[in-house]
């Protein structure tokens, strides 16, 4: 007989491993039956039918909700709490809080100096008992805002039920009430013939605004004391994106009106602190009778405008004292007073080395130099403004005091070179590597290749978001978007062809480089923010909120509940929240969100189920006071 053949050892080993795997799988199925699947369609928006393709997408397997609530948690202790205690039901605040802005206009603000209007700046509650632990309600009768572009000219009265501004500014064609609707005819104090005509007048002075197809050198603009933001609203037709701000003052609801229109705006004031933007951010700044005392405090506010203007950028001024010879009687001021104010503004502009482009009717335009070569040479004169210390961070814009000194531009090799590097014209600048990256100011690890990969990564991620959120996929459903941890602005760039605008936020606690300057060089807008504090905006500002790894970033800095309550405050009813983070973090966040009238689900990363990073999608329920 032939000897019995023995199997090689490796084959036996493989067979044993396969048997073990099969046994483990069967045991897991027996002990942990699959949880029921949640549908991707969370809450049907009021009076908003879903398109068939979006509904089909929502039913696809890609949108399958994952249940991690028992088997995952931030820690063993957190997991035990999550299992043992259901989500705490967060109560609603009283109806009187429907327009609550925690850091503006509160009683503790009055403790601050009246000089230079310091009391109207951000002053957030410091004590825990001063912070709301309830959900800010929408006013009775609240309705989903009109869709863009119809919203540019109209908004629901119930969403911003204020008669004061209507009565005060109706004669100037700012705003009027028409039954259930507020109308915005596009008028303004200094543009009685409409904002469109006013924008044409600015272009006629030589400011390169371009047209609706792009191509203009001006892409980003800053409107100081914006009113209801009609200037920014009408600039959108020329592909100019405007950051508009105004304080919460006697014109209490002007920024709220702007946001209801679908126009970028935030609460803010020029008082004692830097604006929350980096240096060299805006291509153009504007004031139309904005009541800012430009000629006072040694030109401090013009100095701040100079800081945030790009080299070669434009400052546009209309209203007192421009063309005072024609208007002094209507302004109820003496010719001597107005003439003196205009002389002071002209002198400050010269100290800043600005060039006066033109005064055309009621509009004056100045241009910032492209570098400071000749300007530094002229500073031997003791009467002019000096330059700030080189050690100061020019991009610092969060609780930093203004100073009476000029922010120096980056060094250049010759008088004809543009300081800081030249950006492409719109729309090429959106995807071209920004000068702050190619110039190395963000460090050697941030290269043009890294930027390009980041841009492509966010295209894929936004495609994934649209496959799991029918609301985001439906063009026109949402208008105002917030990215709470914007990085290089890739999320906003990926949505550039949708009828939306994105407020890109760079957290002040970010461990990576300050990227807000890069976002502006791309032709996008944004602000600084510490998410342990409230945002400078009204409730119900945003239709969609996005955050990448935000809760991991703020671990041990402030509570998840505080951040979620602020997100709920600024999110509109039927708005969406999209969070991406480690699965353990998202499980804990979902447990909290379930008690806030949000409908939430966790789904897989765009690269599949093997990634620890997951995506949490939540929809805020519709409810009112």
């Amino acid at each position: 007989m032939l000897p019995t053949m023995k199997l090689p050892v490796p084959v036996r080993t493989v067979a044993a491993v396969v048997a073990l795997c099969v046994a483990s799988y069967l045991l897991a199925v027996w002990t942990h039956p699959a949880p029921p699947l949640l549908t991707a369609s969370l809450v049907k928006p009021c009076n908003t039918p879903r398109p068939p393709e979006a509904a089909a997408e929502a039913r696809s397997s890609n949108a399958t909700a994952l249940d991690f609530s028992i088997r995952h948690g931030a820690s063993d202790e957190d997991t035990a709490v999550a299992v043992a205690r259901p989500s705490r039901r967060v109560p609603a605040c009283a109806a009187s809080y429907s327009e609550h802005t925690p850091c503006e206009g509160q009683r503790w603000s009055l403790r601050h100096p009246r000089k230079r209007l310091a009391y109207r700046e951000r002053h957030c509650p410091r004590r825990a008992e001063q912070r709301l632990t309830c959900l800010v309600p929408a006013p009775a009768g609240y309705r989903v805002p009109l869709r863009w572009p119809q919203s540019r000219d109209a908004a629901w009265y119930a969403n911003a039920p204020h008669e004061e501004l209507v009565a005060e500014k109706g004669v100037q064609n700012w705003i009027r009430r028409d039954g259930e609707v507020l109308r915005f005819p596009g008028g303004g104090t200094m543009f009685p013939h409409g904002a469109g005509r006013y924008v044409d007048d600015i272009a006629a002075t030589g400011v390169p605004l371009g047209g609706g197809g792009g191509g203009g050198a001006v892409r980003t603009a800053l409107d100081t004391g914006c009113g209801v933001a009609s200037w920014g609203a009408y600039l959108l037709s020329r592909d100019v994106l405007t950051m508009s701000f105004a304080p919460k003052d006697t014109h209490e609801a002007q920024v709220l009106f702007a946001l209801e229109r679908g126009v970028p705006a935030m609460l803010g004031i020029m008082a004692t602190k830097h604006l929350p933007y980096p240096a060299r951010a805006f291509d153009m700044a504007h004031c139309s009778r904005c009541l800012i005392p430009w000629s006072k405090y040694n030109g401090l506010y013009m100095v701040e405008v100079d800081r945030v203007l790009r080299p070669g950028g434009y400052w546009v001024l209309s209203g007192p004292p421009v063309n005072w010879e024609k208007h002094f009687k209507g302004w109820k001021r003496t010719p001597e007073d107005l003439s003196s104010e205009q002389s002071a503004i002209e002198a400050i502009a010269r100290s800043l080395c600005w060039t006066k482009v033109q005064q055309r009717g009621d509009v004056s335009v100045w241009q910032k130099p492209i570098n400071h070569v000749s300007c530094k040479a002229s500073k031997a004169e003791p009467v002019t403004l000096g330059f700030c210390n080189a050690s100061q961070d020019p991009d610092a814009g969060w609780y930093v005091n203004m100073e009476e000194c000029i922010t120096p531009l980056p060094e250049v090799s010759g008088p004809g070179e543009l300081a800081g590097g030249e950006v492409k014209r719109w729309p090429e600048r959106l995807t071209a590597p920004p000068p702050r990256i190619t110039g190395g100011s963000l460090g050697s690890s941030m290269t043009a290749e890294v930027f390009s990969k980041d841009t492509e990564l966010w295209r894929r991620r936004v495609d994934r978001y649209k496959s799991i959120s029918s609301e985001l996929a439906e063009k026109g459903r949402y208008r105002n978007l917030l990215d709470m941890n914007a990085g290089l602005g890739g999320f906003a760039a990926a949505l550039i062809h949708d009828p939306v605008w994105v407020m890109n936020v760079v957290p002040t606690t970010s461990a990576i480089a300050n990227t807000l300057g890069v976002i502006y060089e791309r032709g996008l807008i944004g602000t600084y923010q510490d998410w342990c504090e409230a945002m400078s905006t009204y409730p119900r500002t945003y239709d969609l909120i996005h955050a990448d790894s935000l809760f991991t970033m703020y671990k041990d800095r402030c509570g998840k509940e505080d951040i979620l309550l602020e997100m709920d405050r600024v999110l509109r009813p039927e708005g969406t929240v999209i969070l991406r983070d480690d699965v353990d973090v998202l499980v804990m966040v979902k447990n909290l969100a379930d008690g806030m009238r949000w409908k939430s689900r966790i789904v897989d990363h765009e690269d599949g189920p093997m990634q620890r990073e997951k995506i949490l999608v939540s929809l805020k329920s519709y409810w009112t006071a």
Side-chain angles (χ1 to χ4, degrees):
M1 290 179 61
L2 293 174
T4 303
M5 295 182 64
K6 294 183 179 181
L7 290 173
V9 173
V11 175
R12 288 179 173 178
T13 302
V14 171
V17 170
V18 170
L20 268 172
C21 289
V22 171
S24 299
Y25 174 78
L26 293 174
L27 181 62
V29 170
W30 181 67
T31 56
H32 297 291
L37 295 179
L38 301 178
T39 59
S41 177
L42 299 173
V43 177
K44 185 179 291 185
C46 291
N47 303 320
T48 307
R50 296 177 183 270
E53 64 272 18
E57 252 178 354
R59 289 191 296 269
S60 70
S61 60
N62 286 340
T64 299
L66 308 177
D67 184 0
F68 299 98
S69 58
I70 297 177
R71 288 170 289 281
H72 291 267
S75 67
D76 291 342
E77 181 181 355
D78 286 342
T79 301
V81 171
V83 173
R85 185 181 65 192
S87 303
R88 180 180 74 89
R89 179 76 170 177
V90 182
C93 304
S96 58
Y97 285 92
S98 67
E99 291 183 8
H100 181 61
T101 54
C103 296
E104 280 89 7
Q106 303 303 326
R107 60 184 180 277
W108 48 82
S109 299
L110 299 176
R111 302 172 189 166
H112 294 267
R114 296 299 181 106
K115 184 180 179 181
R116 283 173 49 191
L117 301 180
Y119 74 102
R120 284 185 176 165
E121 293 181 306
R122 284 178 58 86
H123 299 293
C124 300
R126 296 301 176 190
R127 300 196 305 270
E129 63 269 20
Q130 293 176 323
R131 300 175 186 173
L132 291 185
T133 56
C134 51
L135 304 177
V136 173
Y142 179 87
R143 301 174 69 172
V144 173
L146 298 168
R147 296 196 178 196
W148 185 265
Q150 290 79 14
S151 65
R152 187 194 74 170
D153 302 322
W156 298 116
Y157 174 75
N159 294 7
H162 290 274
E163 294 280 7
E164 300 89 348
L165 200 62
V166 176
E168 184 175 346
K169 297 296 183 180
V171 69
Q172 295 171 358
N173 222 22
W174 274 31
I175 181 174
R176 69 173 187 268
R177 184 177 176 184
D178 183 8
E180 295 183 344
V181 175
L182 295 168
R183 304 283 181 189
F184 302 92
T189 309
M190 293 309 301
F191 35 97
H193 302 296
R197 169 82 171 273
Y198 179 73
V199 168
D200 291 340
D201 291 341
I202 293 172
T205 66
V207 178
L209 296 180
V218 172
R219 163 62 182 173
T220 57
L222 177 68
D223 193 8
T224 57
C226 64
V228 295
S230 288
W231 187 70
Y234 278 78
L235 276 172
L236 287 166
S237 64
R238 289 178 176 264
D239 274 336
V240 175
L241 190 58
T242 304
M243 175 70 81
S244 300
F245 73 82
K248 189 173 183 180
D249 57 9
T250 53
H251 298 162
E252 186 172 355
Q254 53 190 344
V255 167
L256 177 59
F257 288 139
L259 294 165
E260 283 296 316
R261 299 174 70 181
V263 178
M266 62 186 293
L267 289 166
I269 190 171
M270 297 190 80
T272 69
K273 301 290 191 293
H274 277 185
L275 297 173
Y277 318 118
R280 298 181 283 123
F282 298 96
D283 304 316
M284 175 171 59
H286 170 259
C287 163
S288 174
R289 202 171 186 181
C290 60
L291 305 181
I292 295 173
W294 300 112
S295 62
K296 292 185 178 180
Y297 315 120
N298 200 23
L300 186 66
Y301 300 137
M302 290 176 66
V303 168
E304 177 62 0
V305 167
D306 181 81
R307 181 184 73 87
V308 299
L309 267 185
R310 282 190 54 75
Y314 298 88
W315 186 52
V316 180
L317 176 65
S318 67
V322 178
N323 203 11
W324 60 265
E325 298 90 345
K326 177 180 177 182
H327 297 292
F328 74 92
K329 290 183 179 179
W331 293 337
K332 298 180 180 179
R333 291 176 61 184
T334 66
E336 294 77 16
D337 180 28
L338 288 163
S339 177
S340 174
E341 183 180 344
Q342 179 154 347
S343 296
I345 289 174
E346 299 278 5
I348 296 164
R350 287 193 296 271
S351 293
L352 293 167
C353 299
W354 293 358
T355 301
K356 190 165 186 178
V357 176
Q358 187 179 157
Q359 178 173 323
R360 182 185 177 92
D362 295 338
V363 178
S364 282
V365 180
W366 286 264
Q367 186 173 19
K368 180 177 176 175
I370 63 171
N371 59 55
H372 279 154
V373 172
S374 60
C375 191
K376 286 183 176 179
S378 70
K379 289 304 172 185
E381 303 175 26
V383 295
T384 58
L385 285 163
F387 283 92
C388 300
N389 192 306
S391 63
Q392 293 173 277
D393 181 6
D395 291 337
W398 190 250
Y399 293 122
V400 176
N401 290 330
M402 292 183 187
E403 294 190 43
E404 295 175 15
C405 57
I406 302 171
T407 301
L409 291 171
E411 296 294 331
V412 294
S413 57
E417 183 182 347
L418 187 70
E422 188 170 359
V423 296
K424 303 287 186 182
R425 288 183 171 237
W426 183 262
E428 288 79 14
R429 66 190 281 184
L430 180 68
T431 53
R436 295 189 194 223
I437 289 180
T438 57
S441 63
L442 267 64
S444 58
S445 62
M446 189 64 71
T447 63
E449 182 181 6
V450 169
F451 170 79
S452 298
K453 287 182 177 178
D454 184 79
T455 300
E456 182 55 38
L457 172 67
W458 281 103
R459 286 199 190 102
R460 291 181 53 241
R461 288 180 168 181
V462 168
D463 285 344
R464 173 62 172 156
Y465 294 160
K466 289 184 176 180
S467 75
I468 59 179
S469 171
S470 60
E471 290 77 19
L472 180 60
E474 182 186 345
K475 279 200 174 185
R477 175 72 176 86
Y478 289 155
R479 172 65 182 169
N480 302 357
L481 275 58
L482 170 66
D483 192 356
M484 297 177 72
N485 185 21
L488 298 175
F491 173 76
L495 289 163
I496 200 63
H497 297 299
D498 289 8
V500 302
W501 65 270
V502 180
M503 181 68 81
N504 295 281
V505 173
V506 171
T508 57
T509 55
S510 177
I512 62 172
N514 180 355
T515 55
L516 193 53
V518 167
I519 288 169
Y520 275 96
E521 287 181 341
R522 299 186 75 171
L524 305 170
I525 59 171
T527 185
Y528 296 118
Q529 175 68 36
D530 181 355
W531 289 113
C532 290
E533 298 181 1
M535 196 176 185
S536 290
T537 192
Y538 281 89
R540 301 172 302 282
T541 291
Y542 296 103
D543 301 297
L544 182 142
I545 299 175
H546 172 259
D548 177 15
S549 304
L550 185 80
F551 287 92
T552 293
M553 176 188 296
Y554 274 87
K555 183 182 180 182
D556 303 324
R557 292 183 183 272
C558 51
K560 297 181 182 69
E561 300 93 335
D562 294 331
I563 297 176
L564 286 167
L565 282 169
E566 175 61 6
M567 293 168 68
D568 184 85
R569 185 184 75 87
V570 303
L571 184 66
R572 286 173 171 165
E574 298 184 349
T576 295
V577 174
I578 299 177
L579 306 176
R580 60 187 312 123
D581 215 315
D582 185 87
V583 59
D584 290 346
V585 175
L586 291 186
V587 167
M588 296 308 300
V589 170
K590 182 182 182 302
N591 186 60
L592 295 169
D594 286 345
M596 295 171 54
R597 311 194 193 193
W598 292 9
K599 303 296 183 181
S600 303
R601 57 199 166 97
I602 297 175
V603 299
D604 278 327
H605 188 278
E606 59 272 3
D607 290 337
M610 301 306 293
Q611 303 294 322
R612 278 196 60 83
E613 185 176 81
K614 303 295 180 185
I615 303 169
L616 175 69
V617 186
S618 301
L619 197 71
K620 180 177 176 178
S621 301
Y622 175 90
W623 62 279
T624 64

